[in-house]
Amino acid sequence: MIVILLSWLCAVQAQKLTLKELHTLHQWTNLSLGDDQSLGNRFLPVDVDIEYGDEGRHRTFLTIPRLGMATPFTLATVVSDDNEVVENPRLEPYPNKDWHVPPNNCSGITSAIRTYIDQCWRLWVVDSGQVNSLQLCPPQVLTFDLVRDELIQRHSLPPNTYTPSVSIFTALVVDLADSGTPNRCVGGKAYIADAWGYGLIVFDSLTGRSWRIEHESMRPLAFVGLARSGSSQAGIFTVSLSPSEEDDRFLYFHTLNAFNEVKVSLGVINNETLWKTPNVSSLLDDHFRILGTRGIQCESEVMDQSGNLFCSLISLGALIKWEESSNYTADDLRVVAYNPHKIKFVTGLKINRNSQGEEELWALSSEPKLFVGGALPENEVKFQIVGCRTADLLANTPCTVGVTETTPTKVAD
């Protein structure tokens, strides 16, 4: 591993790394929920999404999976009056507090873990149903109308699609029908990575059906020396899709402790009947293709509508980019942002469209120690949301984002 890492570092250094100043939207030294100001509670946000509205208006969403019953709410938005506040903005429950209490009320939200905002003003939410590994409710996919902030659809995952108290959902991406298709905003397919269950869940919201996909490439590597502590048992960690305009489309993923990127035809993944066939996984090995190796671990990844796949490097404080039409080698991977102060442990990486229709990349970056029970000084930043227009990342120009174009950014008093 040391030889591989050193060679990759040499390739990175050859790109003349310079510090990239990403825009900090919010950061927290103390993440409190509502009236709870206790420093003893551990709240660990894991996913982020930015919704843009008219005239640059925006909302920031966070998932805060429940680590205990004392967590008052688990799907949050930044209070609108604090949209301009950088440090420790207040949070409030979404869509309202009634959805979050009590945590064993399966008609509400038990423990939100992943979100996705589609182009039809809908917020998709994956609720694990777990509190501190106790499976209190079945996992579910919730879809909210962001205009009215009302529930559109609820789908409880069937027992054969997940493993109670084991399945942990580390990525969510939603695919809509082609532009111009009638009733495009009625349905959609959600793809959910189950890292500790070693599989992928597909939910077709139009039919209300879901199915599970498993393949050897979704399992962690047999040897754990390549992974840092705590990640060796994580399987499929990411899910990304080819741009919707492409004729031949693929689903991309990797496991947390592997250096390889894998692709599979989206047509194969979407074939529900195929995956209900016994022992089908071994018959489809040729469809799961290893693109190549990074030589280093990546965490979260996301693909834009131009076919650029972005991924956060675990150990280098950097974002790399790969073009779908190119080979997957160290020579084809380009560092587009280097900032070890802001790119740390990235658990949420999203591309959202701003009010001008431009794509922006947003990352939820956290101190790694917090995920292994570590403590940090009270005044040290634990979590931060940073972003940049993808065009600025690709052109290596100063980062700009739509949230700064209507109101200035300020720090709370």
Side-chain angles (χ1 to χ4, degrees):
M1 176 193 176
I2 294 177
V3 174
I4 296 175
L5 182 57
L6 286 176
S7 64
W8 209 92
L9 283 170
C10 290
V12 169
Q13 290 170 351
Q15 298 183 39
K16 297 180 181 180
L17 289 182
T18 56
L19 195 68
K20 184 75 171 179
E21 189 55 46
L22 303 169
H23 175 79
T24 301
L25 181 62
H26 301 298
Q27 61 185 29
W28 287 268
T29 57
N30 173 31
L31 186 69
S32 60
L33 301 183
D35 297 329
D36 180 26
Q37 299 295 324
S38 171
L39 296 178
N41 286 327
R42 290 180 62 236
F43 303 132
L44 298 177
V46 299
D47 207 3
V48 64
D49 253 309
I50 309 295
E51 176 214 4
Y52 277 96
D54 298 331
E55 299 177 354
R57 177 187 61 83
H58 73 278
R59 281 195 293 185
T60 303
F61 291 86
L62 284 174
T63 64
I64 307 168
R66 278 192 165 107
L67 301 178
M69 296 296 187
T71 305
F73 52 90
T74 176
L75 177 60
T77 58
V78 171
V79 174
S80 59
D81 288 345
D82 286 5
N83 270 349
E84 301 173 45
V85 173
V86 174
E87 188 170 346
N88 294 327
R90 295 168 295 166
L91 299 174
E92 61 185 0
Y94 183 87
N96 56 61
K97 64 180 182 180
D98 295 337
W99 274 84
H100 298 266
V101 288
N104 60 348
N105 176 8
C106 297
S107 63
I109 301 175
T110 304
S111 188
I113 189 167
R114 293 290 152 190
T115 60
Y116 186 94
I117 296 176
D118 67 20
Q119 296 178 17
C120 297
W121 301 89
R122 296 180 299 182
L123 174 71
W124 300 63
V125 181
V126 175
D127 174 6
S128 71
Q130 295 182 26
V131 176
N132 196 22
S133 297
L134 296 176
Q135 195 75 50
L136 301 182
C137 299
Q140 59 181 343
V141 181
L142 304 168
T143 312
F144 291 94
D145 179 343
L146 287 173
V147 177
R148 299 189 300 270
D149 292 327
E150 296 177 352
L151 182 70
I152 300 173
Q153 186 177 23
R154 180 197 303 269
H155 175 74
S156 294
L157 294 182
N160 62 348
T161 60
Y162 71 98
T163 304
S165 299
V166 173
S167 292
I168 295 294
F169 308 115
T170 51
L172 164 68
V173 65
V174 175
D175 191 36
L176 303 182
D178 294 338
S179 299
T181 302
N183 301 321
R184 180 176 189 244
C185 293
V186 173
K189 288 187 175 66
Y191 305 90
I192 306 165
D194 179 2
W196 268 257
Y198 311 149
L200 175 76
I201 300 166
V202 182
F203 165 52
D204 186 338
S205 69
L206 192 61
T207 64
R209 299 176 61 84
S210 56
W211 57 95
R212 183 176 179 85
I213 292 167
E214 293 184 358
H215 187 261
E216 189 64 28
S217 58
M218 298 179 180
R219 304 184 67 86
L221 295 177
F223 49 95
V224 300
L226 297 179
R228 71 180 186 180
S229 176
S231 69
S232 60
Q233 295 305 309
I236 176 175
F237 200 72
T238 61
V239 186
S240 299
L241 299 178
S242 294
S244 55
E245 292 81 7
E246 296 294 328
D247 293 331
D248 296 323
R249 302 184 62 205
F250 298 92
L251 182 143
Y252 297 93
F253 68 89
H254 63 259
T255 62
L256 187 57
N257 75 338
F259 299 159
N260 299 329
E261 191 73 24
V262 181
K263 81 171 184 178
V264 56
S265 170
L266 199 56
V268 171
I269 296 296
N270 289 341
N271 190 333
E272 178 187 0
T273 303
L274 180 66
W275 292 101
K276 296 294 177 67
T277 305
N279 303 317
V280 69
S281 177
S282 60
L283 302 177
L284 296 174
D285 285 344
D286 291 343
H287 291 275
F288 288 80
R289 292 180 48 201
I290 295 177
L291 294 174
T293 181
R294 289 178 296 275
I296 195 169
Q297 281 178 267
C298 252
E299 297 154 320
S300 302
E301 72 177 30
V302 63
M303 180 169 276
D304 67 13
Q305 282 301 302
S306 297
N308 297 300
L309 184 67
F310 298 89
C311 196
S312 57
L313 297 182
I314 285 181
S315 55
L316 289 181
L319 286 171
I320 60 172
K321 184 270 298 183
W322 168 74
E323 287 186 37
E324 187 178 28
S325 59
S326 66
N327 295 322
Y328 199 95
T329 68
D331 293 334
D332 301 293
L333 300 174
R334 174 185 159 204
V335 176
V336 292
Y338 170 72
N339 193 324
H341 305 293
K342 293 189 175 183
I343 304 172
K344 297 185 178 181
F345 185 56
V346 176
T347 57
L349 193 65
K350 296 295 177 62
I351 289 181
N352 301 109
R353 288 190 179 273
N354 62 27
S355 300
Q356 289 74 44
E358 301 164 315
E359 290 185 313
E360 296 179 350
L361 184 143
W362 290 98
L364 174 62
S365 175
S366 307
E367 285 291 340
K369 289 182 182 179
L370 298 171
F371 288 84
V372 292
L376 294 171
E378 181 178 339
N379 62 348
E380 188 168 331
V381 173
K382 281 79 173 179
F383 316 100
Q384 53 189 319
I385 300 172
V386 297
C388 188
R389 276 186 174 92
T390 56
D392 292 331
L393 291 171
L394 298 172
N396 194 25
T397 51
C399 280
T400 57
V401 290
V403 297
T404 63
E405 293 177 350
T406 55
T407 53
T409 304
K410 66 180 181 181
V411 178
D413 297 332

